[in-house]
Amino acid sequence: MSRSRRPQLSPEEAALVRLMSGGRLSRRGLLGGAGALGLGAVLAACGTTSPSGGATGTPLPATDISETDRVVKWASWTLYLDKDGTTKQYPTLKAFQNKTGIVPSYFEEIEDNDSYFGRIQAQLRQGQDIGRDVIVFTDWMAARVVNARWAQKLDKDKNIPNAARILDKLRNVDYDPGRNYSLTWQSGYTGLAWNVAKYRELTGKSEMKSLDDLWNPKLKGRISVLSEMRDTIGLIMLSQGVDPGKPFTADNFAAATAVLEKQISGGQIRQVKGNSYKEDLISGDSVAVMAWSGDVFQLNSEARSANLNLTSDPYGFALPESGGMLWSDNLLIPIGSPHKMNAEILMNYYYDPTVAAKVAAYVNYICPVKGAQEEIRKLPSVDIQIANSKYIFPTEEDLAGVHRFRSLTTREEKDYSNAFQQVLGS
């Protein structure tokens, strides 16, 4: 489903829903749903309301009843936890219950960051229980929740000692230095992907190395870029020698959007898309795209499963020589959750390398847990390409070549989002 169009909003509404700082919608998301954010939600996130409860105008954490109520409720995205296709159960989650005695409930109910936040923001603002003890938000939305003080501080020393296993690149984020309120669930790269056979047929090359390859006139009308601003603009900025993870100017941003506008208006870009770029790659409508790493890995895995005679992967993926983008989806405990300790025990369990390896074998995104690669190699019938993939188990050297899109100020978020949407024609 495409994430390329927002609901039509008034200028005032558009300004409000774009106020807060951010990163990227994750691989499963949609841009729709922003209109669900009310004035109160945005003002609260900006610190201009005074919810009852805390001394600073923020709600107090709920009383923890974990010891007497041994349950934990987890809201996440689809295809984001190992699942048995026959029993429809989650093996690692069942093992968690057997090990801890805590009864978990897992809900694949987050379709995108904005719409889910729109469902729960009023309760978060009041410090009420949203009926979920763990939620999974992408960096920019996690930043919104953490900055508004709507997530509970983690007791890592007592309940999450495995948090020390987090990859060094993920240990500090600008919205949560030291990871006191969040833990990475999965991460991924934004880079370039292509249909190997069709790309070779049109260009005579077998690999893509830079954004110049994407703008090759031989690919006119056969490429797609992502509808998430921080992915597409981030890659363009890197190609221009500007690190989007560091302070940059409005002129830097404008220079990147000018490139995008030129490629759209000139017909080089066929479409600006969300998740459906994968279907375009499969159909051949798009030969080369901006893409998310795990998606391409899954496409190749599915192709190998469907055709055991394949001698090479049909789709290529690479980070541009100028650098790729890095994003994360993060575990948070809502301020009103009455099962904080149970939620922390769940987080600790999934940061065990053995468990993290089982999740990585299914999800195929960057595993955030040190030691998981050694464990995945011990799993029966593991795909050796998954176990050895630098896109699932990157080295520190690999991670040195990718960048996060820095948090934006309120004014920047408004101006840059408006500029990007104007280029897209919305």
Side-chain angles (χ1 to χ4, degrees):
M1 297 172 64
S2 173
R3 301 188 304 175
S4 62
R5 292 292 180 265
R6 293 180 184 269
Q8 292 298 312
L9 306 176
S10 70
E12 293 79 10
E13 291 170 326
L16 286 172
V17 300
R18 292 166 176 153
L19 281 176
M20 292 305 295
S21 64
R24 69 182 298 286
L25 288 176
S26 73
R27 65 187 176 93
R28 304 148 309 278
L30 302 166
L31 280 179
L37 298 181
L39 174 61
V42 177
L43 294 180
C46 294
T48 57
T49 61
S50 298
S52 60
T56 61
T58 56
L60 293 171
T63 300
D64 192 357
I65 60 173
S66 291
E67 291 187 357
T68 57
D69 194 18
R70 303 287 284 168
V71 302
V72 62
K73 300 175 182 179
W74 182 3
S76 190
W77 310 72
T78 60
L79 303 177
Y80 230 21
L81 186 64
D82 57 303
K83 190 174 186 177
D84 188 307
T86 302
T87 66
K88 307 303 180 183
Q89 293 185 332
Y90 304 95
T92 59
L93 209 55
K94 185 176 181 180
F96 168 79
Q97 180 175 345
N98 293 338
K99 180 178 181 178
T100 66
I102 298 171
V103 180
S105 298
Y106 186 75
F107 304 90
E108 293 185 346
E109 62 184 9
I110 303 180
E111 294 183 357
D112 69 274
N113 290 279
D114 270 329
S115 65
Y116 194 76
F117 181 75
R119 285 172 50 184
I120 66 175
Q121 53 85 18
Q123 292 168 284
L124 290 175
R125 186 171 69 250
Q126 297 298 327
Q128 298 173 352
D129 180 11
I130 66 170
R132 303 291 182 263
D133 305 301
V134 180
I135 55 178
V136 183
F137 274 149
T138 309
D139 286 322
W140 65 276
M141 185 59 81
R144 179 181 294 183
V145 174
V146 170
N147 290 337
R149 301 294 186 266
W150 293 344
Q152 297 195 44
K153 187 174 183 179
L154 303 177
D155 191 343
K156 293 188 292 184
D157 290 341
K158 180 180 178 182
N159 296 324
I160 324 177
N162 283 336
R165 297 181 181 273
I166 192 169
L167 295 178
D168 292 340
K169 182 78 172 183
L170 305 174
R171 191 176 300 277
N172 287 290
V173 287
D174 58 4
Y175 63 87
D176 187 16
R179 292 288 187 179
N180 293 308
Y181 295 89
S182 65
L183 274 181
T184 305
W185 172 240
Q186 303 290 310
S187 294
Y189 294 133
T190 305
L192 303 175
W194 61 96
N195 181 308
V196 175
K198 291 183 180 296
Y199 182 71
R200 184 185 296 115
E201 177 184 337
L202 290 174
T203 68
K205 301 178 181 179
S206 59
E207 295 182 352
M208 301 184 72
K209 297 182 178 181
S210 72
L211 253 63
D212 287 340
D213 292 330
L214 200 63
W215 310 143
N216 187 330
K218 294 179 180 179
L219 299 178
K220 185 174 181 177
R222 305 293 297 277
I223 70 171
S224 298
V225 299
L226 293 165
S227 55
E228 169 50 39
M229 178 185 76
R230 290 161 180 84
D231 290 324
T232 293
I233 296 299
L235 287 182
I236 295 174
M237 290 177 73
L238 286 169
S239 74
Q240 296 174 324
V242 178
D243 185 349
K246 297 179 179 179
F248 58 81
T249 67
D251 287 342
N252 295 144
F253 189 88
T257 56
V259 170
L260 180 62
E261 184 172 25
K262 175 184 176 181
Q263 300 300 336
I264 291 176
S265 63
Q268 181 73 13
I269 294 174
R270 176 178 178 269
Q271 282 187 313
V272 181
K273 308 203 80 174
N275 288 342
S276 56
Y277 75 83
K278 294 178 293 185
E279 284 69 36
D280 288 351
L281 266 180
I282 295 171
S283 69
D285 289 339
S286 290
V287 173
V289 298
M290 290 184 180
W292 297 315
S293 55
D295 287 344
V296 182
F297 208 96
Q298 288 172 353
L299 286 178
N300 283 325
S301 179
E302 290 167 3
R304 291 194 299 271
S305 297
N307 183 359
L308 299 179
N309 295 321
L310 274 180
T311 57
S312 61
D313 288 335
Y315 307 103
F317 179 86
L319 298 176
E321 293 173 342
S322 54
M325 298 300 295
L326 175 71
W327 54 267
S328 296
D329 290 333
N330 305 277
L331 303 167
L332 302 163
I333 301 176
I335 192 69
S337 164
H339 305 107
K340 177 176 182 285
M341 183 178 71
N342 293 345
E344 291 171 335
I345 293 172
L346 179 79
M347 291 182 182
N348 190 65
Y349 170 78
Y350 277 99
Y351 261 67
D352 181 299
T354 303
V355 179
K358 296 174 182 177
V359 174
Y362 180 89
V363 175
N364 296 168
Y365 271 83
I366 295 175
C367 178
V369 180
K370 292 180 180 179
Q373 185 170 27
E374 290 75 14
E375 294 301 323
I376 199 172
R377 289 170 175 155
K378 301 175 185 177
L379 297 178
S381 304
V382 65
D383 186 334
I384 193 63
Q385 293 194 50
I386 291 177
N388 293 333
S389 174
K390 65 179 181 179
Y391 296 120
I392 299 176
F393 301 105
T395 65
E396 290 301 316
E397 183 179 359
D398 294 329
L399 291 172
V402 292
H403 307 259
R404 293 179 180 274
F405 204 104
R406 68 168 173 84
S407 293
L408 301 176
T409 66
T410 298
R411 183 67 186 184
E412 287 174 330
E413 178 68 23
K414 174 177 177 290
D415 291 345
Y416 296 164
S417 294
N418 283 338
F420 182 70
Q421 292 300 319
Q422 287 173 5
V423 170
L424 301 191
S426 61

